[in-house]
Amino acid sequence: MEEIIPVCEPTLAGNEKKYADECITTNWISSQGRFIEEFERAFAQFCKVKHGVSCCNGTIALHLGLVALGINKGDEVILPTFTMAACVNAILYTGATPVFVDADKETWCIDAAKIEEKVTRKTKAIMPVHIYGHPCNMDTIMGIAKKHGLAVIEDGAEAHGAEHKGKKVGGIGHIGCFSFYANKIITTGEGGMVVTNSDELANKARSLKNLCFGKGDERFMHTGLGYNYRMTNIQAAIGLAQMEKANELVQARRRHAQSYTQLLKGVTGLTLPTEKQWAKNAYWMYGIVLGDEIRMSKQDFMKKMAEQGIETRPFFIPLHQQPYLKDGTLKNAPDCSGVYEAAEWLGKRGLYLPSSSSLKESQIKRVCDAVKGIVEETRQ
Ligand SMILES: *Cc1c(COP(=O)(O)O)cnc(C)c1O
């Protein structure tokens, strides 16, 4: 069989090894050391925001951001149902109640036009998630937030480097949260970051992620209920090396998406990712959605791709369809009733193709030939 094309793998060809080695040779392997601050500064600069607060992963970045914003039991937080469990879980950890909104059929992000009808007197925040690299409609979202006095916590885990009207995602809302998991555009293995332009929110997040220690002699007089959400210097070392080529990593993703779209746009029955004219899509993962005219289940389609040595992954299963949120064990469980047509369509018929930044043009060609071949087969 031909060489297997993985769905996503990290690009660690720069100074990652050298910097990680430095942590070991200097003994700075825990959460202090030069790389933490340097990585935070580099990533904040990349997002064009004032502050970056590193933490252990993206799920925790969301929790940290919500706690810093003061989200608590009894509050409601609006988020898309078409996203990853980390988003809803982070809200549940605070005791607040998540409230779902359907996806937009074109961008696959939260349908901004359906947010306002979900705002109640309990609503405290909106969590737009920039799905698969496409930015949400932030103008509408910020407008609703302003009108109702809500906080906006952006989840940019899939959209490092994406832009809305020339502004980097993460720096548009009050807080932006990122993940550096191994398949994300910029990685530290496991890792996360909260970014913000607010001195107050940055200070809060910084204190909360480190057990709310007191200052100076009062170190062990804790100022609140904190967490140990610290990133290690080794993770930050890898992160700093990644930042040295962050723009290239995003550019590679965009170039590959262009090639995919070029090769697949003539195939009837496939919905491809879009890039609204106000958006710069970071194309974390290149997704396709199978139309009804392709008479094959997504699972069978993926199996046929795998038989040709091509890895794919299914889209998220919408959160309102998750049994653990519906079985009655959670006190602050979201209302999972109702139909979310776009999200259900994406969950049922969407999958993504190999999307590593290190992908080669010849591999993209092979993937597209396989897709076309399988679609063709279903027509016979
Ligand atoms: C990856 C991801 C997260 C969670 O990040 P982890 O680092 O895996 O905890 C959160 N939100 C979205 C949209 C993600 O894709």
Side-chain angles (χ1 to χ4, degrees), residues 56-62 83-87 129-132 155-158 177-184 189-192 284 316:
C56 343
N57 61 54
T59 309
I60 267 168
L62 290 167
T83 186
M84 212 210 157
C87 303
V129 185
H130 308 296
I131 293 286
Y132 300 136
D155 182 346
E158 304 181 354
C177 300
F178 289 87
S179 161
F180 304 115
Y181 182 65
N183 69 2
K184 302 291 153 85
E190 294 277 0
W284 172 54
F316 302 120

Short mmCIF file of all heavy atoms in Angstrom, two decimals, residues 56-62 83-87 129-132 155-158 177-184 189-192 284 316, ligand 1:
data_model
loop_
_atom_site.label_atom_id
_atom_site.label_comp_id
_atom_site.label_asym_id
_atom_site.label_seq_id
_atom_site.Cartn_x
_atom_site.Cartn_y
_atom_site.Cartn_z
N CYS A 56 -2.23 24.97 31.23
CA CYS A 56 -1.93 23.59 30.81
C CYS A 56 -2.59 23.11 29.52
O CYS A 56 -2.05 22.24 28.87
CB CYS A 56 -2.28 22.55 31.85
SG CYS A 56 -2.53 23.06 33.48
N ASN A 57 -3.76 23.58 29.21
CA ASN A 57 -4.40 23.14 27.96
C ASN A 57 -5.54 24.08 27.58
O ASN A 57 -5.84 25.03 28.32
CB ASN A 57 -4.87 21.68 28.06
CG ASN A 57 -5.88 21.46 29.15
OD1 ASN A 57 -6.90 22.14 29.22
ND2 ASN A 57 -5.59 20.52 30.04
N GLY A 58 -6.17 23.82 26.48
CA GLY A 58 -7.20 24.71 25.98
C GLY A 58 -8.50 24.65 26.77
O GLY A 58 -9.20 25.65 26.93
N THR A 59 -8.82 23.47 27.28
CA THR A 59 -10.02 23.32 28.10
C THR A 59 -9.90 24.20 29.34
O THR A 59 -10.83 24.92 29.71
CB THR A 59 -10.18 21.83 28.53
OG1 THR A 59 -10.09 21.01 27.36
CG2 THR A 59 -11.49 21.60 29.22
N ILE A 60 -8.72 24.14 29.93
CA ILE A 60 -8.45 24.92 31.14
C ILE A 60 -8.37 26.41 30.83
O ILE A 60 -8.78 27.24 31.64
CB ILE A 60 -7.17 24.34 31.79
CG1 ILE A 60 -7.61 23.30 32.80
CG2 ILE A 60 -6.29 25.41 32.39
CD1 ILE A 60 -6.50 22.44 33.31
N ALA A 61 -7.88 26.76 29.65
CA ALA A 61 -7.85 28.18 29.25
C ALA A 61 -9.28 28.73 29.26
O ALA A 61 -9.52 29.84 29.74
CB ALA A 61 -7.22 28.33 27.87
N LEU A 62 -10.23 27.93 28.76
CA LEU A 62 -11.63 28.36 28.75
C LEU A 62 -12.17 28.50 30.17
O LEU A 62 -12.84 29.47 30.51
CB LEU A 62 -12.49 27.37 27.96
CG LEU A 62 -12.26 27.35 26.44
CD1 LEU A 62 -12.93 26.12 25.82
CD2 LEU A 62 -12.80 28.62 25.79
N THR A 83 -19.64 22.30 18.34
CA THR A 83 -18.26 22.51 18.77
C THR A 83 -17.85 21.33 19.62
O THR A 83 -18.57 20.34 19.75
CB THR A 83 -18.09 23.84 19.53
OG1 THR A 83 -16.70 24.04 19.81
CG2 THR A 83 -18.83 23.84 20.86
N MET A 84 -16.67 21.46 20.21
CA MET A 84 -16.09 20.38 20.98
C MET A 84 -16.60 20.39 22.42
O MET A 84 -16.97 21.45 22.94
CB MET A 84 -14.60 20.69 21.00
CG MET A 84 -13.73 19.52 21.03
SD MET A 84 -12.25 20.04 21.89
CE MET A 84 -11.71 18.46 22.40
N ALA A 85 -16.55 19.26 23.06
CA ALA A 85 -17.03 19.13 24.45
C ALA A 85 -16.32 20.07 25.41
O ALA A 85 -16.91 20.53 26.39
CB ALA A 85 -16.86 17.69 24.92
N ALA A 86 -15.05 20.39 25.12
CA ALA A 86 -14.28 21.26 26.02
C ALA A 86 -15.02 22.57 26.30
O ALA A 86 -14.98 23.08 27.42
CB ALA A 86 -12.91 21.57 25.40
N CYS A 87 -15.70 23.10 25.31
CA CYS A 87 -16.36 24.40 25.45
C CYS A 87 -17.50 24.32 26.46
O CYS A 87 -17.59 25.14 27.38
CB CYS A 87 -16.91 24.86 24.09
SG CYS A 87 -15.65 24.95 22.82
N VAL A 129 -16.96 30.31 18.96
CA VAL A 129 -15.87 29.36 18.69
C VAL A 129 -15.55 29.45 17.19
O VAL A 129 -16.43 29.26 16.35
CB VAL A 129 -16.29 27.92 19.06
CG1 VAL A 129 -15.11 26.97 18.89
CG2 VAL A 129 -16.83 27.87 20.49
N HIS A 130 -14.31 29.77 16.88
CA HIS A 130 -13.92 29.94 15.48
C HIS A 130 -13.63 28.55 14.88
O HIS A 130 -12.50 28.06 14.91
CB HIS A 130 -12.71 30.87 15.38
CG HIS A 130 -12.92 32.16 16.12
ND1 HIS A 130 -13.88 33.06 15.75
CD2 HIS A 130 -12.31 32.69 17.22
CE1 HIS A 130 -13.85 34.10 16.58
NE2 HIS A 130 -12.91 33.90 17.48
N ILE A 131 -14.69 27.95 14.35
CA ILE A 131 -14.67 26.52 14.00
C ILE A 131 -13.78 26.20 12.79
O ILE A 131 -13.95 26.79 11.72
CB ILE A 131 -16.11 26.02 13.75
CG1 ILE A 131 -16.91 26.05 15.06
CG2 ILE A 131 -16.12 24.63 13.13
CD1 ILE A 131 -16.58 24.97 16.06
N TYR A 132 -12.92 25.23 12.97
CA TYR A 132 -12.01 24.74 11.92
C TYR A 132 -11.20 25.85 11.27
O TYR A 132 -10.71 25.70 10.14
CB TYR A 132 -12.79 23.92 10.86
CG TYR A 132 -13.49 22.70 11.43
CD1 TYR A 132 -14.78 22.38 11.06
CD2 TYR A 132 -12.84 21.88 12.34
CE1 TYR A 132 -15.42 21.27 11.60
CE2 TYR A 132 -13.47 20.78 12.88
CZ TYR A 132 -14.75 20.47 12.52
OH TYR A 132 -15.38 19.37 13.06
N ASP A 155 -13.20 31.40 21.67
CA ASP A 155 -12.41 30.17 21.64
C ASP A 155 -11.70 30.11 20.29
O ASP A 155 -12.31 29.82 19.26
CB ASP A 155 -13.31 28.94 21.83
CG ASP A 155 -12.50 27.65 21.87
OD1 ASP A 155 -11.32 27.68 21.47
OD2 ASP A 155 -13.05 26.61 22.28
N GLY A 156 -10.39 30.40 20.33
CA GLY A 156 -9.60 30.41 19.11
C GLY A 156 -8.74 29.17 18.95
O GLY A 156 -7.79 29.16 18.17
N ALA A 157 -9.09 28.11 19.69
CA ALA A 157 -8.27 26.88 19.71
C ALA A 157 -7.98 26.34 18.31
O ALA A 157 -6.95 25.70 18.08
CB ALA A 157 -8.96 25.81 20.55
N GLU A 158 -8.91 26.59 17.38
CA GLU A 158 -8.76 26.04 16.03
C GLU A 158 -8.39 27.13 15.03
O GLU A 158 -8.46 26.91 13.82
CB GLU A 158 -10.09 25.38 15.62
CG GLU A 158 -10.53 24.33 16.62
CD GLU A 158 -11.83 23.63 16.26
OE1 GLU A 158 -12.47 24.03 15.27
OE2 GLU A 158 -12.19 22.69 16.98
N CYS A 177 -9.22 32.48 24.15
CA CYS A 177 -8.62 31.27 24.70
C CYS A 177 -8.08 30.40 23.57
O CYS A 177 -8.72 30.26 22.53
CB CYS A 177 -9.66 30.48 25.49
SG CYS A 177 -10.34 31.43 26.85
N PHE A 178 -6.93 29.82 23.81
CA PHE A 178 -6.28 29.00 22.79
C PHE A 178 -5.82 27.68 23.37
O PHE A 178 -5.55 27.58 24.56
CB PHE A 178 -5.07 29.74 22.20
CG PHE A 178 -5.45 30.92 21.34
CD1 PHE A 178 -5.66 32.17 21.91
CD2 PHE A 178 -5.64 30.76 19.98
CE1 PHE A 178 -6.04 33.25 21.11
CE2 PHE A 178 -6.02 31.83 19.18
CZ PHE A 178 -6.21 33.08 19.75
N SER A 179 -5.72 26.68 22.48
CA SER A 179 -5.16 25.38 22.83
C SER A 179 -3.89 25.18 22.00
O SER A 179 -3.81 25.66 20.87
CB SER A 179 -6.16 24.28 22.48
OG SER A 179 -5.51 23.02 22.40
N PHE A 180 -2.94 24.47 22.58
CA PHE A 180 -1.73 24.11 21.84
C PHE A 180 -1.55 22.60 21.82
O PHE A 180 -0.43 22.08 21.89
CB PHE A 180 -0.49 24.79 22.45
CG PHE A 180 -0.62 26.28 22.54
CD1 PHE A 180 -0.65 26.92 23.78
CD2 PHE A 180 -0.71 27.07 21.40
CE1 PHE A 180 -0.77 28.29 23.89
CE2 PHE A 180 -0.83 28.45 21.49
CZ PHE A 180 -0.86 29.07 22.74
N TYR A 181 -2.65 21.89 21.76
CA TYR A 181 -2.64 20.43 21.62
C TYR A 181 -1.88 20.08 20.34
O TYR A 181 -1.77 20.89 19.42
CB TYR A 181 -4.09 19.93 21.58
CG TYR A 181 -4.21 18.43 21.48
CD1 TYR A 181 -3.77 17.62 22.53
CD2 TYR A 181 -4.74 17.83 20.35
CE1 TYR A 181 -3.87 16.24 22.42
CE2 TYR A 181 -4.84 16.45 20.25
CZ TYR A 181 -4.39 15.66 21.30
OH TYR A 181 -4.48 14.30 21.19
N ALA A 182 -1.40 18.84 20.26
CA ALA A 182 -0.48 18.46 19.18
C ALA A 182 -1.05 18.65 17.77
O ALA A 182 -0.30 18.82 16.82
CB ALA A 182 -0.02 17.02 19.37
N ASN A 183 -2.38 18.62 17.63
CA ASN A 183 -2.92 18.79 16.27
C ASN A 183 -3.29 20.25 15.96
O ASN A 183 -3.74 20.54 14.85
CB ASN A 183 -4.10 17.85 16.02
CG ASN A 183 -5.33 18.21 16.83
OD1 ASN A 183 -5.34 19.19 17.56
ND2 ASN A 183 -6.37 17.43 16.69
N LYS A 184 -3.09 21.15 16.89
CA LYS A 184 -3.44 22.55 16.64
C LYS A 184 -2.36 23.21 15.78
O LYS A 184 -1.24 22.70 15.66
CB LYS A 184 -3.65 23.29 17.96
CG LYS A 184 -4.73 22.67 18.84
CD LYS A 184 -6.14 22.84 18.26
CE LYS A 184 -7.12 21.77 18.68
NZ LYS A 184 -7.80 21.96 19.94
N GLY A 189 2.49 20.44 22.54
CA GLY A 189 2.15 19.08 23.01
C GLY A 189 0.80 19.12 23.68
O GLY A 189 -0.21 18.75 23.10
N GLU A 190 0.76 19.55 24.92
CA GLU A 190 -0.45 19.98 25.61
C GLU A 190 -0.16 21.42 26.02
O GLU A 190 0.97 21.75 26.35
CB GLU A 190 -0.73 19.14 26.87
CG GLU A 190 -1.06 17.68 26.62
CD GLU A 190 -2.53 17.44 26.26
OE1 GLU A 190 -3.31 18.41 26.20
OE2 GLU A 190 -2.87 16.27 26.01
N GLY A 191 -1.16 22.25 26.04
CA GLY A 191 -0.92 23.63 26.46
C GLY A 191 -2.08 24.52 26.10
O GLY A 191 -2.92 24.17 25.29
N GLY A 192 -2.13 25.69 26.75
CA GLY A 192 -3.19 26.64 26.47
C GLY A 192 -2.77 28.05 26.82
O GLY A 192 -1.71 28.27 27.43
N TRP A 284 -7.61 25.39 10.00
CA TRP A 284 -7.00 24.40 10.89
C TRP A 284 -7.18 22.99 10.31
O TRP A 284 -6.23 22.22 10.18
CB TRP A 284 -7.65 24.48 12.28
CG TRP A 284 -7.24 23.38 13.20
CD1 TRP A 284 -5.96 23.03 13.53
CD2 TRP A 284 -8.10 22.48 13.91
NE1 TRP A 284 -5.98 21.96 14.41
CE2 TRP A 284 -7.27 21.61 14.65
CE3 TRP A 284 -9.49 22.33 14.01
CZ2 TRP A 284 -7.79 20.61 15.48
CZ3 TRP A 284 -9.99 21.33 14.84
CH2 TRP A 284 -9.14 20.49 15.56
N PHE A 316 -17.46 17.16 14.65
CA PHE A 316 -18.01 17.02 16.00
C PHE A 316 -19.45 16.54 15.94
O PHE A 316 -20.18 16.89 15.02
CB PHE A 316 -18.03 18.37 16.72
CG PHE A 316 -16.69 19.02 16.84
CD1 PHE A 316 -16.45 20.25 16.28
CD2 PHE A 316 -15.66 18.39 17.52
CE1 PHE A 316 -15.20 20.85 16.38
CE2 PHE A 316 -14.41 18.98 17.62
CZ PHE A 316 -14.18 20.21 17.05
C1 LIG B 1 -8.86 21.61 20.94
C2 LIG B 1 -9.98 22.44 21.35
C3 LIG B 1 -10.20 22.79 22.69
C4 LIG B 1 -9.53 22.11 23.84
O1 LIG B 1 -8.20 22.19 23.89
P1 LIG B 1 -7.33 21.11 24.72
O2 LIG B 1 -5.99 21.73 24.70
O3 LIG B 1 -7.40 19.84 23.98
O4 LIG B 1 -7.89 21.03 26.08
C5 LIG B 1 -11.19 23.70 22.98
N1 LIG B 1 -11.95 24.22 22.03
C6 LIG B 1 -11.83 23.86 20.74
C7 LIG B 1 -12.72 24.49 19.74
C8 LIG B 1 -10.85 22.95 20.37
O5 LIG B 1 -10.74 22.59 19.09
#
